[in-house]
């Protein structure tokens, strides 16, 4: 075929193919192998795939632990449509020292996993489920006096580099505020550095901590002590400029005490905040990213839906406007995944049973990321 078609035509054809056949086509000939594994092709293919996802049915990656064996992590990819059809079940190629890995976040088809659920091991794994490859990150410096650490994961589009930011809380200032030290890992360099950027002295709650990467920045929910009590904000870190910014929360969330009962997630190209109260859980969405006045309370749900079911967590929003919930079935003593329609207050059980509290979702786009990395850093199960 390559004898009769110009290389650019071949590239244009290959760019439109899914990940799985492209991996198979690396074995066709040396020239195709070279094309598909080239960094520029990987980046162009990702852009094509992201445009397809925005126009077609996206995928949701689900991680859960079955009740019968909570030490086994199960990952599955589902179509984000009415069917929630499982179309792939990638196998995690590494074993956690703890019960399971924490899914820090996802970006461009990569998942960042941290082995810190029960014991801090300073172990980070970058995993691409689509091509079954992973990289074990170099271990960061671990100060002996550290209290706890918070991480974020994103993509530096200016340098074409994946980065992990780690905020390590070591000490307190005169006002009793934690002052984090900031470490930054670069996949391109394969190493950690301490950066000069000064993080505002907000505390990011360790319990229920979450992050989301949108608009080139990692976002967390944080709080700071003011004269009239705690004040909550969204703290963002631009992975390209390596600078921190703050985004105001609506007043109903800014004064909630404490931040450990809130979590942040993606809502399309913007952000959502989930607030967990004793009796009512609610979701706020920033309809226009960065515009404080666009915060809207999307829905609230009673924690105890009925005597048999309790809402454990709001996992995230779906393309059709529904929300994925994890509920606890008191009768069967198991977790259940539910798609909740807030408009009609209707719940659809999806037939997935979980060990409550260990489940999470990520909005996922297949990619060839890591395919151009050195093979000795990889493992293919």
């Amino acid at each position: 075929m390559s004898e009769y078609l110009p290389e650019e035509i071949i590239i244009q054809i290959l760019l439109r193919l899914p990940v799985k056949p492209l991996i198979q086509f690396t074995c066709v000939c040396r020239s195709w192998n070279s094309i598909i594994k080239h960094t520029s092709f990987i980046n162009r293919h990702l852009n094509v795939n992201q445009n397809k996802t925005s126009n077609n049915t996206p995928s949701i990656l689900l991680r859960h632990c079955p009740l019968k064996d909570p030490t086994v992590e199960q990952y599955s990819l589902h179509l984000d449509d009415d069917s929630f059809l499982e179309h792939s079940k990638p196998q995690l190629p590494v074993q956690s020292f703890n019960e399971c890995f924490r899914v820090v976040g996802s970006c461009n088809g990569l998942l960042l996993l941290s082995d810190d659920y029960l014991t801090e091991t300073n172990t980070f794994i970058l995993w691409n489920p689509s091509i079954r490859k992973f990289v074990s990150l170099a271990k960061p410096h671990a100060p002996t006096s550290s209290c706890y650490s918070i991480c974020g994961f994103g993509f530096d589009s200016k340098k074409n580099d994946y980065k992990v930011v780690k905020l390590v809380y070591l000490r307190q200032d005169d006002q009793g505020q934690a002052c984090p030290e900031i470490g930054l890992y670069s996949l391109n360099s394969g190493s950690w550095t301490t950066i000069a950027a000064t993080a505002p002295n907000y505390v990011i709650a360790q319990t229920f901590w979450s992050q989301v990467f949108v608009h080139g920045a990692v976002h967390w929910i944080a709080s700071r002590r003011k004269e009239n009590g705690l004040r909550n904000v969204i703290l963002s870190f631009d992975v390209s400029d390596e600078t921190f910014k703050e985004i105001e929360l609506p007043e109903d969330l800014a004064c909630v005490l404490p931040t450990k009962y809130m979590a942040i997630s993606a809502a399309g190209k913007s952000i959502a905040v989930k607030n967990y109260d004793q009796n009512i859980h609610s979701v706020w969405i920033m309809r226009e990213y960065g515009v404080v006045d666009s915060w809207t309370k999307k829905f609230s749900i009673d924690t105890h839906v009925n005597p048999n079911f309790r809402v454990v967590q709001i996992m995230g929003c779906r393309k059709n406007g529904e929300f994925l919930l994890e509920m606890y079935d008191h009768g069967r003593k198991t977790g259940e995944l539910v798609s909740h329609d807030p408009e009609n207050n209707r719940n659809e059980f999806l037939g997935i049973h979980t060990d409550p509290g260990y489940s999470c979702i990520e909005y996922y786009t297949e990619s060839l990321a890591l395919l151009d990395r050195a093979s000795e850093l990889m493992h293919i199960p």
Side-chain angles (χ1 to χ4, degrees):
M1 181 177 178
S2 58
E3 296 178 0
Y4 305 102
L5 289 175
E7 183 177 280
E8 184 56 33
I9 299 297
I10 296 174
I11 291 174
Q12 288 299 324
I13 295 172
L14 294 176
L15 283 172
R16 286 155 176 77
L17 296 179
V19 166
K20 186 175 180 179
L22 285 175
I23 297 300
Q24 296 170 337
F25 289 166
T26 58
C27 301
V28 170
C29 61
R30 288 183 180 180
S31 62
W32 283 27
N33 182 289
S34 177
I35 288 171
I36 295 169
K37 290 184 178 180
H38 197 280
T39 303
S40 64
F41 180 87
I42 292 172
N43 294 337
R44 290 173 68 183
H45 183 265
L46 175 64
N47 291 333
V48 171
N49 241 12
Q50 287 176 332
N51 290 333
K52 283 183 182 178
T53 301
S54 62
N55 296 324
N56 300 323
T57 303
S59 289
I60 288 179
L61 186 139
L62 167 68
R63 195 286 299 276
H64 77 282
C65 299
L67 192 63
K68 62 182 180 181
D69 191 353
T71 63
V72 175
E73 298 177 58
Q74 292 188 358
Y75 292 81
S76 53
L77 281 165
H78 299 258
L79 294 176
D80 188 13
D81 57 14
D82 292 338
S83 69
F84 202 66
L85 180 68
E86 178 186 301
H87 62 86
S88 178
K89 202 161 192 172
Q91 299 297 311
L92 182 64
V94 288
Q95 181 69 41
S96 168
F97 176 81
N98 292 277
E99 289 184 355
C100 61
F101 284 98
R102 182 192 303 278
V103 180
V104 177
S106 67
C107 178
N108 296 348
L110 293 182
L111 264 65
L112 176 66
L113 308 177
S114 177
D115 198 0
D116 66 351
Y117 245 122
L118 300 175
T119 303
E120 176 63 77
T121 65
N122 273 319
T123 299
F124 294 95
I125 303 293
L126 265 184
W127 178 40
N128 185 334
S130 300
I131 62 173
R132 298 186 299 167
K133 285 194 173 185
F134 75 89
V135 176
S136 298
L137 275 56
K139 289 185 178 292
H141 171 65
T144 55
S145 60
S146 64
C147 298
Y148 66 92
S149 60
I150 300 296
C151 295
F153 172 55
F155 179 67
D156 181 348
S157 58
K158 294 180 180 178
K159 296 181 179 178
N160 192 36
D161 192 10
Y162 292 92
K163 293 180 177 179
V164 180
V165 58
K166 184 175 184 180
L167 281 65
V168 182
Y169 288 87
L170 299 169
R171 58 191 184 279
Q172 294 186 327
D173 63 17
D174 295 337
Q175 297 180 350
Q177 298 294 314
C179 299
E181 287 189 359
I182 307 159
L184 193 66
Y185 177 86
S186 160
L187 183 60
N188 285 351
S189 68
S191 61
W192 290 86
T193 56
T194 300
I195 64 174
T198 302
N201 55 349
Y202 284 89
V203 177
I204 301 172
Q206 189 177 23
T207 306
F208 249 148
W209 73 264
S210 57
Q211 66 99 65
V212 65
F213 178 75
V214 293
H215 288 270
V218 179
H219 300 72
W220 306 271
I221 297 174
S223 65
R224 183 179 186 180
R225 190 169 299 281
K226 298 285 188 177
E227 293 180 359
N228 56 348
L230 287 177
R231 184 78 179 175
N232 305 319
V233 299
I234 290 177
L235 182 65
S236 71
F237 177 76
D238 188 304
V239 296
S240 295
D241 299 337
E242 299 179 2
T243 55
F244 288 90
K245 292 181 181 178
E246 300 168 17
I247 299 175
E248 298 249 350
L249 285 166
E251 199 62 28
D252 286 1
L253 297 179
C255 299
V256 169
L257 206 82
T259 56
K260 69 179 182 180
Y261 295 121
M262 289 195 291
I264 192 169
S265 65
K269 295 182 179 180
S270 191
I271 50 181
V273 173
K274 299 168 282 189
N275 184 38
Y276 296 95
D277 202 347
Q278 185 175 0
N279 298 312
I280 296 178
H281 298 338
S282 59
V283 174
W284 291 72
I285 290 180
M286 186 175 245
R287 289 181 290 108
E288 187 175 350
Y289 177 80
V291 179
V292 176
D293 291 340
S294 70
W295 280 111
T296 303
K297 190 174 186 179
K298 194 66 177 177
F299 84 98
S300 297
I301 187 170
D302 289 340
T303 306
H304 298 279
V305 180
N306 59 50
N308 295 323
F309 290 95
R310 172 174 58 87
V311 179
V312 178
Q313 63 167 321
I314 302 167
M315 300 181 69
C317 49
R318 303 186 60 187
K319 189 176 181 180
N320 62 3
E322 296 184 1
F323 288 81
L324 283 175
L325 309 179
E326 185 176 36
M327 290 188 179
Y328 181 70
D329 185 335
H330 292 281
R332 297 182 179 180
K333 300 188 183 306
T334 182
E336 296 258 9
L337 249 60
V338 174
S339 188
H340 174 71
D341 179 357
E343 296 294 329
N344 301 301
N345 195 27
R346 186 179 63 241
N347 295 318
E348 179 187 354
F349 289 82
L350 300 175
I352 300 173
H353 302 281
T354 68
D355 186 17
Y358 290 93
S359 305
C360 66
I361 64 168
E362 294 290 337
Y363 305 102
Y364 190 77
T365 300
E366 286 192 338
S367 81
L368 296 168
L370 297 185
L371 193 62
D372 56 341
R373 308 300 297 182
S375 59
E376 63 266 18
L377 294 177
M378 307 299 177
H379 170 76
I380 305 178

